[in-house]
PDB file of all heavy atoms in Angstrom:
ATOM      1  N   ALA K   3       0.061  18.679  -0.375  1.00 79.00           N
ATOM      2  CA  ALA K   3       1.041  17.714  -0.792  1.00 79.00           C
ATOM      3  C   ALA K   3       1.571  16.883   0.371  1.00 79.00           C
ATOM      4  O   ALA K   3       1.815  15.685   0.232  1.00 79.00           O
ATOM      5  CB  ALA K   3       2.219  18.432  -1.501  1.00 79.00           C
ATOM      6  N   CYS K   4       1.718  17.487   1.520  1.00 86.00           N
ATOM      7  CA  CYS K   4       2.137  16.735   2.713  1.00 86.00           C
ATOM      8  C   CYS K   4       1.141  15.645   3.093  1.00 86.00           C
ATOM      9  O   CYS K   4       1.508  14.579   3.491  1.00 86.00           O
ATOM     10  CB  CYS K   4       2.338  17.721   3.866  1.00 86.00           C
ATOM     11  SG  CYS K   4       3.658  18.880   3.628  1.00 86.00           S
ATOM     12  N   TRP K   5      -0.162  15.990   2.973  1.00 89.00           N
ATOM     13  CA  TRP K   5      -1.220  15.010   3.288  1.00 89.00           C
ATOM     14  C   TRP K   5      -1.137  13.846   2.318  1.00 89.00           C
ATOM     15  O   TRP K   5      -1.349  12.678   2.683  1.00 89.00           O
ATOM     16  CB  TRP K   5      -2.595  15.654   3.286  1.00 89.00           C
ATOM     17  CG  TRP K   5      -2.777  16.569   4.444  1.00 89.00           C
ATOM     18  CD1 TRP K   5      -2.967  17.903   4.392  1.00 89.00           C
ATOM     19  CD2 TRP K   5      -2.846  16.231   5.831  1.00 89.00           C
ATOM     20  NE1 TRP K   5      -3.095  18.423   5.624  1.00 89.00           N
ATOM     21  CE2 TRP K   5      -3.063  17.396   6.569  1.00 89.00           C
ATOM     22  CE3 TRP K   5      -2.777  15.007   6.542  1.00 89.00           C
ATOM     23  CZ2 TRP K   5      -3.187  17.427   7.941  1.00 89.00           C
ATOM     24  CZ3 TRP K   5      -2.893  15.002   7.901  1.00 89.00           C
ATOM     25  CH2 TRP K   5      -3.068  16.223   8.595  1.00 89.00           C
ATOM     26  N   PHE K   6      -0.863  14.146   1.072  1.00 89.00           N
ATOM     27  CA  PHE K   6      -0.822  13.062   0.061  1.00 89.00           C
ATOM     28  C   PHE K   6       0.436  12.223   0.221  1.00 89.00           C
ATOM     29  O   PHE K   6       0.374  10.983  -0.028  1.00 89.00           O
ATOM     30  CB  PHE K   6      -0.903  13.659  -1.360  1.00 89.00           C
ATOM     31  CG  PHE K   6      -2.240  14.260  -1.677  1.00 89.00           C
ATOM     32  CD1 PHE K   6      -2.368  15.548  -2.111  1.00 89.00           C
ATOM     33  CD2 PHE K   6      -3.399  13.486  -1.515  1.00 89.00           C
ATOM     34  CE1 PHE K   6      -3.586  16.094  -2.352  1.00 89.00           C
ATOM     35  CE2 PHE K   6      -4.637  14.031  -1.806  1.00 89.00           C
ATOM     36  CZ  PHE K   6      -4.776  15.312  -2.198  1.00 89.00           C
ATOM     37  N   ILE K   7       1.499  12.794   0.690  1.00 90.00           N
ATOM     38  CA  ILE K   7       2.675  12.014   1.005  1.00 90.00           C
ATOM     39  C   ILE K   7       2.411  11.102   2.192  1.00 90.00           C
ATOM     40  O   ILE K   7       2.792   9.922   2.183  1.00 90.00           O
ATOM     41  CB  ILE K   7       3.878  12.902   1.294  1.00 90.00           C
ATOM     42  CG1 ILE K   7       4.304  13.672  -0.015  1.00 90.00           C
ATOM     43  CG2 ILE K   7       5.062  12.125   1.848  1.00 90.00           C
ATOM     44  CD1 ILE K   7       5.290  14.757   0.193  1.00 90.00           C
ATOM     45  N   LEU K   8       1.702  11.607   3.179  1.00 93.00           N
ATOM     46  CA  LEU K   8       1.289  10.760   4.334  1.00 93.00           C
ATOM     47  C   LEU K   8       0.402   9.591   3.847  1.00 93.00           C
ATOM     48  O   LEU K   8       0.546   8.471   4.300  1.00 93.00           O
ATOM     49  CB  LEU K   8       0.603  11.615   5.342  1.00 93.00           C
ATOM     50  CG  LEU K   8       0.055  10.853   6.619  1.00 93.00           C
ATOM     51  CD1 LEU K   8       1.224  10.146   7.360  1.00 93.00           C
ATOM     52  CD2 LEU K   8      -0.720  11.760   7.539  1.00 93.00           C
ATOM     53  N   VAL K   9      -0.539   9.887   3.015  1.00 94.00           N
ATOM     54  CA  VAL K   9      -1.435   8.852   2.432  1.00 94.00           C
ATOM     55  C   VAL K   9      -0.629   7.787   1.738  1.00 94.00           C
ATOM     56  O   VAL K   9      -0.825   6.634   1.915  1.00 94.00           O
ATOM     57  CB  VAL K   9      -2.524   9.440   1.503  1.00 94.00           C
ATOM     58  CG1 VAL K   9      -3.215   8.349   0.734  1.00 94.00           C
ATOM     59  CG2 VAL K   9      -3.532  10.274   2.305  1.00 94.00           C
ATOM     60  N   ALA K  10       0.311   8.234   0.876  1.00 94.00           N
ATOM     61  CA  ALA K  10       1.170   7.300   0.125  1.00 94.00           C
ATOM     62  C   ALA K  10       1.971   6.420   1.091  1.00 94.00           C
ATOM     63  O   ALA K  10       2.179   5.214   0.896  1.00 94.00           O
ATOM     64  CB  ALA K  10       2.117   8.085  -0.803  1.00 94.00           C
ATOM     65  N   ALA K  11       2.437   7.013   2.220  1.00 95.00           N
ATOM     66  CA  ALA K  11       3.166   6.259   3.200  1.00 95.00           C
ATOM     67  C   ALA K  11       2.264   5.225   3.878  1.00 95.00           C
ATOM     68  O   ALA K  11       2.687   4.096   4.083  1.00 95.00           O
ATOM     69  CB  ALA K  11       3.814   7.223   4.226  1.00 95.00           C
ATOM     70  N   MET K  12       1.081   5.643   4.192  1.00 96.00           N
ATOM     71  CA  MET K  12       0.107   4.698   4.837  1.00 96.00           C
ATOM     72  C   MET K  12      -0.218   3.570   3.903  1.00 96.00           C
ATOM     73  O   MET K  12      -0.338   2.393   4.343  1.00 96.00           O
ATOM     74  CB  MET K  12      -1.143   5.456   5.278  1.00 96.00           C
ATOM     75  CG  MET K  12      -0.906   6.423   6.421  1.00 96.00           C
ATOM     76  SD  MET K  12      -2.336   7.468   6.794  1.00 96.00           S
ATOM     77  CE  MET K  12      -3.368   6.328   7.700  1.00 96.00           C
ATOM     78  N   TRP K  13      -0.428   3.840   2.612  1.00 96.00           N
ATOM     79  CA  TRP K  13      -0.765   2.799   1.661  1.00 96.00           C
ATOM     80  C   TRP K  13       0.451   1.912   1.398  1.00 96.00           C
ATOM     81  O   TRP K  13       0.389   0.698   1.466  1.00 96.00           O
ATOM     82  CB  TRP K  13      -1.240   3.408   0.371  1.00 96.00           C
ATOM     83  CG  TRP K  13      -2.630   3.965   0.396  1.00 96.00           C
ATOM     84  CD1 TRP K  13      -3.566   3.728   1.333  1.00 96.00           C
ATOM     85  CD2 TRP K  13      -3.209   4.772  -0.608  1.00 96.00           C
ATOM     86  NE1 TRP K  13      -4.707   4.412   0.981  1.00 96.00           N
ATOM     87  CE2 TRP K  13      -4.531   5.060  -0.189  1.00 96.00           C
ATOM     88  CE3 TRP K  13      -2.781   5.347  -1.815  1.00 96.00           C
ATOM     89  CZ2 TRP K  13      -5.430   5.830  -0.961  1.00 96.00           C
ATOM     90  CZ3 TRP K  13      -3.652   6.109  -2.532  1.00 96.00           C
ATOM     91  CH2 TRP K  13      -4.955   6.378  -2.124  1.00 96.00           C
ATOM     92  N   GLY K  14       1.550   2.588   1.078  1.00 94.00           N
ATOM     93  CA  GLY K  14       2.751   1.782   0.643  1.00 94.00           C
ATOM     94  C   GLY K  14       3.382   1.006   1.776  1.00 94.00           C
ATOM     95  O   GLY K  14       3.792  -0.151   1.563  1.00 94.00           O
TER      96      GLY K  14
END
Side-chain angles (χ1 to χ4, degrees):
C4 295
W5 290 113
F6 292 124
I7 293 169
L8 177 62
V9 168
M12 291 172 78
W13 284 347

